[in-house]
Amino acid sequence: MPKTYKAIASQTLTGTETSVTFSSIPQTYTDLVFILNPIGTSSGANYLARFNSDTGANYDGIRLTANGSTVASARYTITGGIQIHDYLINGTSQVPVIICQIMNYSNTTTYKQLYARGNTASNWVQSSVGVWKSTSAITSVTFLSSSSNFQSGSSFSLYGIKAA
Amino acid sequence: MATFIKIASVEVGSGGAATIDFTSIPQDYTDLVILASLRDDRAAAYANSTFISFNGNTANFSSRVAYGSGTVSGSFSLARYAGTNVSEQATASIFSNSQLYISNYTSSNYKSYSIESVTENNGSDGYQYFGAGLWSDTSAITSIGLTLDTGSGGSVLKQYSTATLYGILKA
């Protein structure tokens, strides 16, 4: 069977952390997929993906959110990252599933786009697309929150997909 | 080592089936993915909800879903919601397309899952759904059932409905 969906790295926290970084990402795949189950230390904070430690105003995006009764769409500009979910939960009873896909991450010609689905059944669901306005290949990805840390038990997994 | 492994696949035969079941799920993976193509026999509608159960349990489920049809959009909450089935008002031979991502299915936390489901009825009707589901139970998931919302009419998943269960193993 072709081995085209390969586990690259994973981190499960054993203590509280302010951020989680995947560095030295191999440049031998076509696309990347991150699966995140973050447990916040406070509720309500949003959640970002940052590329190659770029903390500048080099990110833009839009999001579609729904809370079980209303749907909303908005454009955002956040310095230092792409928003991938807008509502962390404090506690293990409702850990969100966040799926992030980055296509063609290693090319040095185009800006890089990230597509994320962040889902917390108790609060809302969010579909986001963001752009990192850099033609650099992505060699590291950092996940962090604007106003929360990640609790022990938070898990983050990286997979590589290789085109035929 | 491959990390996206097919565990089991079910195709509904003639006469239909009330549920598609995956039982005795190995506990060796990190996450589970279900890819499904479904149609049911609800007569008075184009589409119907897919309902899910874990370990034969239909209680303690919740969800939050966003949807769009090309003309309208909205959001709803519906316990056990796991995507959409195409129903009998749709053009023949059309089935839905769904993905469920169930992360950390063996953990002792409550079980969260991501829902993505779409249908397109030959230019006349179409829906996209994406959502979050939660099973408020700390048990490891050992079996999964997919069925239809019989409260809205209909009783079986139609012949040629399929669902495949995959295991994903982290590094």
Side-chain angles (χ1 to χ4, degrees):
Chain A
M1 181 173 67
K3 299 178 173 61
T4 57
Y5 194 108
K6 185 169 175 59
I8 298 174
S10 65
Q11 301 184 46
T12 300
L13 302 185
T14 58
T16 299
E17 299 289 346
T18 57
S19 64
V20 173
T21 297
F22 290 84
S23 58
S24 302
I25 295 174
Q27 300 295 294
T28 52
Y29 298 96
T30 307
D31 309 320
L32 300 176
V33 176
F34 287 92
I35 305 296
L36 315 171
N37 299 113
I39 306 169
T41 56
S42 60
S43 296
N46 65 39
Y47 188 37
L48 308 178
R50 175 177 293 164
F51 297 142
N52 295 9
S53 302
D54 184 356
T55 59
N58 299 312
Y59 304 88
D60 285 317
I62 61 172
R63 66 184 187 205
L64 177 67
T65 59
N67 64 5
S69 58
T70 58
V71 179
S73 182
R75 172 166 293 282
Y76 66 86
T77 299
I78 296 179
T79 298
I82 293 172
Q83 186 189 83
I84 59 175
H85 197 38
D86 198 28
Y87 206 95
L88 283 179
I89 296 290
N90 179 359
T92 60
S93 64
Q94 309 198 43
V95 181
V97 177
I98 304 176
I99 303 171
C100 299
Q101 292 176 266
I102 310 168
M103 279 57 163
N104 210 11
Y105 70 102
S106 65
N107 87 86
T108 55
T109 305
T110 67
Y111 286 177
K112 306 303 180 292
Q113 300 228 9
L114 180 150
Y115 170 46
R117 284 89 78 209
N119 298 318
T120 306
S122 65
N123 289 93
W124 69 29
V125 297
Q126 177 169 331
S127 175
S128 310
V129 59
V131 63
W132 178 42
K133 291 175 281 188
S134 170
T135 57
S136 299
I138 294 173
T139 58
S140 75
V141 180
T142 299
F143 297 103
L144 67 158
S145 170
S146 60
S147 57
S148 173
N149 296 321
F150 302 123
Q151 290 190 31
S152 172
S154 298
S155 65
F156 308 78
S157 297
L158 169 62
Y159 302 90
I161 297 179
K162 199 168 181 63
Chain B
M1 181 173 67
T3 55
F4 200 109
I5 303 290
K6 175 181 165 182
I7 298 173
S9 186
V10 176
E11 179 176 312
V12 175
S14 62
T19 65
I20 290 176
D21 292 305
F22 297 104
T23 60
S24 301
I25 295 173
Q27 301 294 289
D28 309 301
Y29 299 99
T30 307
D31 306 325
L32 299 175
V33 173
I34 295 176
L35 302 180
S37 176
L38 304 173
R39 186 178 177 112
D40 66 34
D41 66 343
R42 182 185 178 196
Y46 162 76
N48 195 6
S49 297
T50 307
F51 277 359
I52 195 167
S53 62
F54 292 142
N55 300 359
N57 192 324
T58 59
N60 301 314
F61 283 89
S62 60
S63 76
R64 214 161 287 257
V65 183
Y67 70 90
S69 71
T71 54
V72 298
S73 60
S75 182
F76 61 86
S77 295
L78 180 62
R80 296 182 64 201
Y81 181 80
T84 191
N85 308 328
V86 170
S87 298
E88 292 292 68
Q89 281 194 341
T91 303
S93 304
I94 288 180
F95 288 69
S96 66
N97 182 316
S98 300
Q99 173 177 294
L100 302 175
Y101 196 104
I102 308 165
S103 60
N104 292 324
Y105 70 105
T106 67
S107 81
S108 57
N109 293 332
Y110 288 177
K111 307 306 180 291
S112 299
Y113 55 98
S114 176
I115 306 160
E116 296 175 65
S117 185
V118 296
T119 74
E120 167 53 34
N121 185 35
N122 200 24
S124 63
D125 292 283
Y127 284 91
Q128 297 172 280
Y129 300 87
F130 78 93
L134 179 70
W135 184 43
S136 299
D137 193 300
T138 57
S139 304
I141 294 173
T142 58
S143 68
I144 300 172
L146 298 177
T147 185
L148 63 153
D149 177 8
T150 57
S152 299
S155 60
V156 296
L157 297 169
K158 299 274 288 186
Q159 184 182 20
Y160 307 121
S161 292
T162 61
T164 304
L165 175 67
Y166 297 88
I168 294 185
L169 193 61
K170 70 180 181 183

PDB file of all heavy atoms in Angstrom, chain A residues 129-164:
ATOM      1  N   VAL A 129      -9.745  30.218   6.605  1.00  0.00           N
ATOM      2  CA  VAL A 129      -8.654  30.152   5.650  1.00  0.00           C
ATOM      3  C   VAL A 129      -7.791  31.377   5.872  1.00  0.00           C
ATOM      4  O   VAL A 129      -8.309  32.488   6.066  1.00  0.00           O
ATOM      5  CB  VAL A 129      -9.161  30.074   4.197  1.00  0.00           C
ATOM      6  CG1 VAL A 129     -10.013  31.263   3.828  1.00  0.00           C
ATOM      7  CG2 VAL A 129      -7.991  29.922   3.248  1.00  0.00           C
ATOM      8  N   GLY A 130      -6.502  31.183   5.906  1.00  0.00           N
ATOM      9  CA  GLY A 130      -5.594  32.290   6.121  1.00  0.00           C
ATOM     10  C   GLY A 130      -4.404  32.209   5.196  1.00  0.00           C
ATOM     11  O   GLY A 130      -4.073  31.140   4.666  1.00  0.00           O
ATOM     12  N   VAL A 131      -3.760  33.343   4.997  1.00  0.00           N
ATOM     13  CA  VAL A 131      -2.577  33.403   4.143  1.00  0.00           C
ATOM     14  C   VAL A 131      -1.407  33.976   4.930  1.00  0.00           C
ATOM     15  O   VAL A 131      -1.570  34.904   5.730  1.00  0.00           O
ATOM     16  CB  VAL A 131      -2.844  34.262   2.884  1.00  0.00           C
ATOM     17  CG1 VAL A 131      -3.158  35.712   3.235  1.00  0.00           C
ATOM     18  CG2 VAL A 131      -1.657  34.202   1.931  1.00  0.00           C
ATOM     19  N   TRP A 132      -0.271  33.370   4.753  1.00  0.00           N
ATOM     20  CA  TRP A 132       0.981  33.901   5.260  1.00  0.00           C
ATOM     21  C   TRP A 132       1.666  34.546   4.065  1.00  0.00           C
ATOM     22  O   TRP A 132       2.018  33.853   3.099  1.00  0.00           O
ATOM     23  CB  TRP A 132       1.845  32.803   5.864  1.00  0.00           C
ATOM     24  CG  TRP A 132       3.180  33.277   6.371  1.00  0.00           C
ATOM     25  CD1 TRP A 132       3.438  34.412   7.075  1.00  0.00           C
ATOM     26  CD2 TRP A 132       4.427  32.603   6.216  1.00  0.00           C
ATOM     27  NE1 TRP A 132       4.770  34.491   7.379  1.00  0.00           N
ATOM     28  CE2 TRP A 132       5.413  33.391   6.870  1.00  0.00           C
ATOM     29  CE3 TRP A 132       4.825  31.413   5.607  1.00  0.00           C
ATOM     30  CZ2 TRP A 132       6.746  33.025   6.920  1.00  0.00           C
ATOM     31  CZ3 TRP A 132       6.158  31.048   5.660  1.00  0.00           C
ATOM     32  CH2 TRP A 132       7.109  31.856   6.298  1.00  0.00           C
ATOM     33  N   LYS A 133       1.865  35.829   4.110  1.00  0.00           N
ATOM     34  CA  LYS A 133       2.351  36.568   2.950  1.00  0.00           C
ATOM     35  C   LYS A 133       3.862  36.475   2.861  1.00  0.00           C
ATOM     36  O   LYS A 133       4.592  37.459   3.011  1.00  0.00           O
ATOM     37  CB  LYS A 133       1.836  38.004   3.008  1.00  0.00           C
ATOM     38  CG  LYS A 133       0.316  38.075   2.790  1.00  0.00           C
ATOM     39  CD  LYS A 133      -0.240  39.466   2.949  1.00  0.00           C
ATOM     40  CE  LYS A 133      -0.408  39.817   4.403  1.00  0.00           C
ATOM     41  NZ  LYS A 133      -1.115  41.101   4.606  1.00  0.00           N
ATOM     42  N   SER A 134       4.315  35.250   2.607  1.00  0.00           N
ATOM     43  CA  SER A 134       5.732  34.974   2.430  1.00  0.00           C
ATOM     44  C   SER A 134       5.879  33.842   1.423  1.00  0.00           C
ATOM     45  O   SER A 134       5.084  32.903   1.416  1.00  0.00           O
ATOM     46  CB  SER A 134       6.362  34.564   3.766  1.00  0.00           C
ATOM     47  OG  SER A 134       7.669  34.068   3.557  1.00  0.00           O
ATOM     48  N   THR A 135       6.896  33.928   0.599  1.00  0.00           N
ATOM     49  CA  THR A 135       7.171  32.848  -0.357  1.00  0.00           C
ATOM     50  C   THR A 135       8.150  31.830   0.222  1.00  0.00           C
ATOM     51  O   THR A 135       8.522  30.879  -0.460  1.00  0.00           O
ATOM     52  CB  THR A 135       7.732  33.410  -1.671  1.00  0.00           C
ATOM     53  OG1 THR A 135       8.914  34.176  -1.386  1.00  0.00           O
ATOM     54  CG2 THR A 135       6.717  34.312  -2.376  1.00  0.00           C
ATOM     55  N   SER A 136       8.545  31.997   1.472  1.00  0.00           N
ATOM     56  CA  SER A 136       9.479  31.047   2.075  1.00  0.00           C
ATOM     57  C   SER A 136       8.811  29.698   2.285  1.00  0.00           C
ATOM     58  O   SER A 136       7.602  29.616   2.559  1.00  0.00           O
ATOM     59  CB  SER A 136       9.965  31.567   3.429  1.00  0.00           C
ATOM     60  OG  SER A 136      10.646  32.787   3.282  1.00  0.00           O
ATOM     61  N   ALA A 137       9.587  28.649   2.157  1.00  0.00           N
ATOM     62  CA  ALA A 137       9.090  27.325   2.525  1.00  0.00           C
ATOM     63  C   ALA A 137       8.813  27.297   4.026  1.00  0.00           C
ATOM     64  O   ALA A 137       9.515  27.940   4.814  1.00  0.00           O
ATOM     65  CB  ALA A 137      10.123  26.265   2.166  1.00  0.00           C
ATOM     66  N   ILE A 138       7.788  26.570   4.418  1.00  0.00           N
ATOM     67  CA  ILE A 138       7.451  26.457   5.841  1.00  0.00           C
ATOM     68  C   ILE A 138       8.340  25.389   6.468  1.00  0.00           C
ATOM     69  O   ILE A 138       8.278  24.216   6.091  1.00  0.00           O
ATOM     70  CB  ILE A 138       5.972  26.123   6.036  1.00  0.00           C
ATOM     71  CG1 ILE A 138       5.100  27.296   5.564  1.00  0.00           C
ATOM     72  CG2 ILE A 138       5.677  25.801   7.495  1.00  0.00           C
ATOM     73  CD1 ILE A 138       3.612  27.008   5.564  1.00  0.00           C
ATOM     74  N   THR A 139       9.139  25.813   7.413  1.00  0.00           N
ATOM     75  CA  THR A 139      10.021  24.866   8.100  1.00  0.00           C
ATOM     76  C   THR A 139       9.627  24.658   9.555  1.00  0.00           C
ATOM     77  O   THR A 139      10.085  23.710  10.193  1.00  0.00           O
ATOM     78  CB  THR A 139      11.480  25.359   8.030  1.00  0.00           C
ATOM     79  OG1 THR A 139      11.545  26.672   8.625  1.00  0.00           O
ATOM     80  CG2 THR A 139      11.953  25.441   6.577  1.00  0.00           C
ATOM     81  N   SER A 140       8.805  25.569  10.092  1.00  0.00           N
ATOM     82  CA  SER A 140       8.307  25.379  11.448  1.00  0.00           C
ATOM     83  C   SER A 140       6.906  25.962  11.566  1.00  0.00           C
ATOM     84  O   SER A 140       6.562  26.926  10.866  1.00  0.00           O
ATOM     85  CB  SER A 140       9.230  26.026  12.482  1.00  0.00           C
ATOM     86  OG  SER A 140       9.086  27.427  12.493  1.00  0.00           O
ATOM     87  N   VAL A 141       6.110  25.386  12.443  1.00  0.00           N
ATOM     88  CA  VAL A 141       4.771  25.864  12.754  1.00  0.00           C
ATOM     89  C   VAL A 141       4.633  25.898  14.267  1.00  0.00           C
ATOM     90  O   VAL A 141       4.938  24.903  14.948  1.00  0.00           O
ATOM     91  CB  VAL A 141       3.680  24.983  12.146  1.00  0.00           C
ATOM     92  CG1 VAL A 141       2.294  25.540  12.495  1.00  0.00           C
ATOM     93  CG2 VAL A 141       3.849  24.876  10.635  1.00  0.00           C
ATOM     94  N   THR A 142       4.193  27.036  14.785  1.00  0.00           N
ATOM     95  CA  THR A 142       3.962  27.202  16.219  1.00  0.00           C
ATOM     96  C   THR A 142       2.495  27.453  16.461  1.00  0.00           C
ATOM     97  O   THR A 142       1.881  28.287  15.787  1.00  0.00           O
ATOM     98  CB  THR A 142       4.776  28.393  16.764  1.00  0.00           C
ATOM     99  OG1 THR A 142       6.162  28.147  16.567  1.00  0.00           O
ATOM    100  CG2 THR A 142       4.510  28.599  18.253  1.00  0.00           C
ATOM    101  N   PHE A 143       1.927  26.724  17.420  1.00  0.00           N
ATOM    102  CA  PHE A 143       0.542  26.939  17.829  1.00  0.00           C
ATOM    103  C   PHE A 143       0.550  27.641  19.179  1.00  0.00           C
ATOM    104  O   PHE A 143       1.281  27.245  20.100  1.00  0.00           O
ATOM    105  CB  PHE A 143      -0.198  25.613  17.911  1.00  0.00           C
ATOM    106  CG  PHE A 143      -0.285  24.916  16.579  1.00  0.00           C
ATOM    107  CD1 PHE A 143       0.546  23.847  16.290  1.00  0.00           C
ATOM    108  CD2 PHE A 143      -1.183  25.344  15.617  1.00  0.00           C
ATOM    109  CE1 PHE A 143       0.483  23.213  15.053  1.00  0.00           C
ATOM    110  CE2 PHE A 143      -1.257  24.719  14.382  1.00  0.00           C
ATOM    111  CZ  PHE A 143      -0.415  23.658  14.099  1.00  0.00           C
ATOM    112  N   LEU A 144      -0.235  28.698  19.271  1.00  0.00           N
ATOM    113  CA  LEU A 144      -0.286  29.456  20.508  1.00  0.00           C
ATOM    114  C   LEU A 144      -1.639  30.131  20.622  1.00  0.00           C
ATOM    115  O   LEU A 144      -2.420  30.143  19.672  1.00  0.00           O
ATOM    116  CB  LEU A 144       0.834  30.504  20.551  1.00  0.00           C
ATOM    117  CG  LEU A 144       0.766  31.661  19.562  1.00  0.00           C
ATOM    118  CD1 LEU A 144       1.594  32.824  20.108  1.00  0.00           C
ATOM    119  CD2 LEU A 144       1.302  31.268  18.186  1.00  0.00           C
ATOM    120  N   SER A 145      -1.888  30.684  21.796  1.00  0.00           N
ATOM    121  CA  SER A 145      -3.149  31.372  22.016  1.00  0.00           C
ATOM    122  C   SER A 145      -2.873  32.799  22.431  1.00  0.00           C
ATOM    123  O   SER A 145      -1.822  33.108  22.990  1.00  0.00           O
ATOM    124  CB  SER A 145      -3.955  30.669  23.104  1.00  0.00           C
ATOM    125  OG  SER A 145      -5.074  31.449  23.474  1.00  0.00           O
ATOM    126  N   SER A 146      -3.819  33.665  22.146  1.00  0.00           N
ATOM    127  CA  SER A 146      -3.652  35.068  22.486  1.00  0.00           C
ATOM    128  C   SER A 146      -3.723  35.309  23.987  1.00  0.00           C
ATOM    129  O   SER A 146      -3.145  36.266  24.490  1.00  0.00           O
ATOM    130  CB  SER A 146      -4.733  35.896  21.786  1.00  0.00           C
ATOM    131  OG  SER A 146      -6.016  35.477  22.199  1.00  0.00           O
ATOM    132  N   SER A 147      -4.446  34.455  24.712  1.00  0.00           N
ATOM    133  CA  SER A 147      -4.614  34.744  26.137  1.00  0.00           C
ATOM    134  C   SER A 147      -4.826  33.491  26.967  1.00  0.00           C
ATOM    135  O   SER A 147      -5.516  33.527  27.975  1.00  0.00           O
ATOM    136  CB  SER A 147      -5.786  35.699  26.342  1.00  0.00           C
ATOM    137  OG  SER A 147      -6.962  35.152  25.794  1.00  0.00           O
ATOM    138  N   SER A 148      -4.265  32.390  26.518  1.00  0.00           N
ATOM    139  CA  SER A 148      -4.409  31.161  27.282  1.00  0.00           C
ATOM    140  C   SER A 148      -3.163  30.313  27.084  1.00  0.00           C
ATOM    141  O   SER A 148      -2.447  30.482  26.096  1.00  0.00           O
ATOM    142  CB  SER A 148      -5.650  30.390  26.826  1.00  0.00           C
ATOM    143  OG  SER A 148      -5.736  29.122  27.442  1.00  0.00           O
ATOM    144  N   ASN A 149      -2.895  29.457  28.003  1.00  0.00           N
ATOM    145  CA  ASN A 149      -1.866  28.432  27.817  1.00  0.00           C
ATOM    146  C   ASN A 149      -2.540  27.096  27.503  1.00  0.00           C
ATOM    147  O   ASN A 149      -3.774  26.987  27.528  1.00  0.00           O
ATOM    148  CB  ASN A 149      -1.008  28.314  29.078  1.00  0.00           C
ATOM    149  CG  ASN A 149      -0.239  29.582  29.358  1.00  0.00           C
ATOM    150  OD1 ASN A 149       0.251  30.232  28.444  1.00  0.00           O
ATOM    151  ND2 ASN A 149      -0.151  29.952  30.627  1.00  0.00           N
ATOM    152  N   PHE A 150      -1.736  26.086  27.258  1.00  0.00           N
ATOM    153  CA  PHE A 150      -2.249  24.750  26.991  1.00  0.00           C
ATOM    154  C   PHE A 150      -1.965  23.865  28.195  1.00  0.00           C
ATOM    155  O   PHE A 150      -0.849  23.843  28.709  1.00  0.00           O
ATOM    156  CB  PHE A 150      -1.595  24.150  25.753  1.00  0.00           C
ATOM    157  CG  PHE A 150      -1.789  24.989  24.523  1.00  0.00           C
ATOM    158  CD1 PHE A 150      -0.718  25.450  23.803  1.00  0.00           C
ATOM    159  CD2 PHE A 150      -3.067  25.323  24.114  1.00  0.00           C
ATOM    160  CE1 PHE A 150      -0.894  26.230  22.674  1.00  0.00           C
ATOM    161  CE2 PHE A 150      -3.255  26.106  22.984  1.00  0.00           C
ATOM    162  CZ  PHE A 150      -2.167  26.570  22.270  1.00  0.00           C
ATOM    163  N   GLN A 151      -2.991  23.128  28.604  1.00  0.00           N
ATOM    164  CA  GLN A 151      -2.855  22.259  29.761  1.00  0.00           C
ATOM    165  C   GLN A 151      -2.180  20.943  29.398  1.00  0.00           C
ATOM    166  O   GLN A 151      -2.157  20.513  28.233  1.00  0.00           O
ATOM    167  CB  GLN A 151      -4.228  21.908  30.339  1.00  0.00           C
ATOM    168  CG  GLN A 151      -4.942  23.028  31.020  1.00  0.00           C
ATOM    169  CD  GLN A 151      -6.173  22.517  31.757  1.00  0.00           C
ATOM    170  OE1 GLN A 151      -6.212  21.371  32.235  1.00  0.00           O
ATOM    171  NE2 GLN A 151      -7.188  23.349  31.836  1.00  0.00           N
ATOM    172  N   SER A 152      -1.707  20.281  30.424  1.00  0.00           N
ATOM    173  CA  SER A 152      -1.238  18.912  30.294  1.00  0.00           C
ATOM    174  C   SER A 152      -2.337  18.067  29.670  1.00  0.00           C
ATOM    175  O   SER A 152      -3.520  18.225  29.983  1.00  0.00           O
ATOM    176  CB  SER A 152      -0.885  18.370  31.676  1.00  0.00           C
ATOM    177  OG  SER A 152      -0.601  16.990  31.621  1.00  0.00           O
ATOM    178  N   GLY A 153      -1.935  17.188  28.750  1.00  0.00           N
ATOM    179  CA  GLY A 153      -2.908  16.348  28.056  1.00  0.00           C
ATOM    180  C   GLY A 153      -3.272  16.872  26.681  1.00  0.00           C
ATOM    181  O   GLY A 153      -3.814  16.125  25.861  1.00  0.00           O
ATOM    182  N   SER A 154      -2.958  18.128  26.412  1.00  0.00           N
ATOM    183  CA  SER A 154      -3.186  18.664  25.066  1.00  0.00           C
ATOM    184  C   SER A 154      -2.327  17.862  24.079  1.00  0.00           C
ATOM    185  O   SER A 154      -1.170  17.565  24.355  1.00  0.00           O
ATOM    186  CB  SER A 154      -2.788  20.133  25.003  1.00  0.00           C
ATOM    187  OG  SER A 154      -3.553  20.932  25.882  1.00  0.00           O
ATOM    188  N   SER A 155      -2.910  17.538  22.921  1.00  0.00           N
ATOM    189  CA  SER A 155      -2.144  16.738  21.955  1.00  0.00           C
ATOM    190  C   SER A 155      -2.128  17.416  20.603  1.00  0.00           C
ATOM    191  O   SER A 155      -3.106  18.068  20.200  1.00  0.00           O
ATOM    192  CB  SER A 155      -2.704  15.321  21.846  1.00  0.00           C
ATOM    193  OG  SER A 155      -4.008  15.339  21.315  1.00  0.00           O
ATOM    194  N   PHE A 156      -1.007  17.254  19.913  1.00  0.00           N
ATOM    195  CA  PHE A 156      -0.778  17.892  18.618  1.00  0.00           C
ATOM    196  C   PHE A 156      -0.043  16.885  17.737  1.00  0.00           C
ATOM    197  O   PHE A 156       1.002  16.369  18.141  1.00  0.00           O
ATOM    198  CB  PHE A 156       0.090  19.143  18.772  1.00  0.00           C
ATOM    199  CG  PHE A 156      -0.403  20.123  19.810  1.00  0.00           C
ATOM    200  CD1 PHE A 156      -0.195  19.912  21.162  1.00  0.00           C
ATOM    201  CD2 PHE A 156      -1.076  21.260  19.416  1.00  0.00           C
ATOM    202  CE1 PHE A 156      -0.658  20.807  22.113  1.00  0.00           C
ATOM    203  CE2 PHE A 156      -1.536  22.185  20.357  1.00  0.00           C
ATOM    204  CZ  PHE A 156      -1.325  21.955  21.706  1.00  0.00           C
ATOM    205  N   SER A 157      -0.559  16.604  16.557  1.00  0.00           N
ATOM    206  CA  SER A 157       0.064  15.611  15.678  1.00  0.00           C
ATOM    207  C   SER A 157       0.247  16.190  14.285  1.00  0.00           C
ATOM    208  O   SER A 157      -0.621  16.904  13.790  1.00  0.00           O
ATOM    209  CB  SER A 157      -0.794  14.340  15.588  1.00  0.00           C
ATOM    210  OG  SER A 157      -0.901  13.719  16.845  1.00  0.00           O
ATOM    211  N   LEU A 158       1.374  15.854  13.674  1.00  0.00           N
ATOM    212  CA  LEU A 158       1.703  16.331  12.325  1.00  0.00           C
ATOM    213  C   LEU A 158       1.835  15.137  11.395  1.00  0.00           C
ATOM    214  O   LEU A 158       2.533  14.165  11.708  1.00  0.00           O
ATOM    215  CB  LEU A 158       3.017  17.119  12.341  1.00  0.00           C
ATOM    216  CG  LEU A 158       3.628  17.466  10.980  1.00  0.00           C
ATOM    217  CD1 LEU A 158       2.685  18.354  10.171  1.00  0.00           C
ATOM    218  CD2 LEU A 158       4.979  18.148  11.162  1.00  0.00           C
ATOM    219  N   TYR A 159       1.169  15.246  10.229  1.00  0.00           N
ATOM    220  CA  TYR A 159       1.237  14.214   9.201  1.00  0.00           C
ATOM    221  C   TYR A 159       1.663  14.852   7.884  1.00  0.00           C
ATOM    222  O   TYR A 159       1.332  16.013   7.603  1.00  0.00           O
ATOM    223  CB  TYR A 159      -0.131  13.540   9.013  1.00  0.00           C
ATOM    224  CG  TYR A 159      -0.662  12.914  10.279  1.00  0.00           C
ATOM    225  CD1 TYR A 159      -1.447  13.646  11.160  1.00  0.00           C
ATOM    226  CD2 TYR A 159      -0.364  11.592  10.603  1.00  0.00           C
ATOM    227  CE1 TYR A 159      -1.924  13.094  12.339  1.00  0.00           C
ATOM    228  CE2 TYR A 159      -0.853  11.029  11.775  1.00  0.00           C
ATOM    229  CZ  TYR A 159      -1.624  11.788  12.635  1.00  0.00           C
ATOM    230  OH  TYR A 159      -2.097  11.227  13.801  1.00  0.00           O
ATOM    231  N   GLY A 160       2.391  14.089   7.083  1.00  0.00           N
ATOM    232  CA  GLY A 160       2.804  14.549   5.764  1.00  0.00           C
ATOM    233  C   GLY A 160       2.099  13.735   4.689  1.00  0.00           C
ATOM    234  O   GLY A 160       1.929  12.518   4.825  1.00  0.00           O
ATOM    235  N   ILE A 161       1.666  14.397   3.641  1.00  0.00           N
ATOM    236  CA  ILE A 161       1.030  13.720   2.508  1.00  0.00           C
ATOM    237  C   ILE A 161       1.901  13.951   1.298  1.00  0.00           C
ATOM    238  O   ILE A 161       2.302  15.084   0.994  1.00  0.00           O
ATOM    239  CB  ILE A 161      -0.387  14.267   2.250  1.00  0.00           C
ATOM    240  CG1 ILE A 161      -1.282  13.996   3.456  1.00  0.00           C
ATOM    241  CG2 ILE A 161      -0.971  13.639   0.995  1.00  0.00           C
ATOM    242  CD1 ILE A 161      -2.682  14.531   3.298  1.00  0.00           C
ATOM    243  N   LYS A 162       2.178  12.842   0.606  1.00  0.00           N
ATOM    244  CA  LYS A 162       3.062  12.916  -0.551  1.00  0.00           C
ATOM    245  C   LYS A 162       2.265  12.638  -1.812  1.00  0.00           C
ATOM    246  O   LYS A 162       1.543  11.647  -1.882  1.00  0.00           O
ATOM    247  CB  LYS A 162       4.182  11.894  -0.429  1.00  0.00           C
ATOM    248  CG  LYS A 162       5.390  12.171  -1.301  1.00  0.00           C
ATOM    249  CD  LYS A 162       6.538  11.282  -0.900  1.00  0.00           C
ATOM    250  CE  LYS A 162       7.772  11.561  -1.746  1.00  0.00           C
ATOM    251  NZ  LYS A 162       8.262  12.935  -1.546  1.00  0.00           N
ATOM    252  N   ALA A 163       2.358  13.522  -2.772  1.00  0.00           N
ATOM    253  CA  ALA A 163       1.661  13.327  -4.041  1.00  0.00           C
ATOM    254  C   ALA A 163       2.279  12.172  -4.809  1.00  0.00           C
ATOM    255  O   ALA A 163       3.414  11.785  -4.584  1.00  0.00           O
ATOM    256  CB  ALA A 163       1.741  14.607  -4.887  1.00  0.00           C
ATOM    257  N   ALA A 164       1.478  11.604  -5.737  1.00  0.00           N
ATOM    258  CA  ALA A 164       1.971  10.499  -6.571  1.00  0.00           C
ATOM    259  C   ALA A 164       3.132  10.963  -7.436  1.00  0.00           C
ATOM    260  O   ALA A 164       3.212  12.143  -7.798  1.00  0.00           O
ATOM    261  CB  ALA A 164       0.840   9.975  -7.440  1.00  0.00           C
TER     262      ALA A 164
END
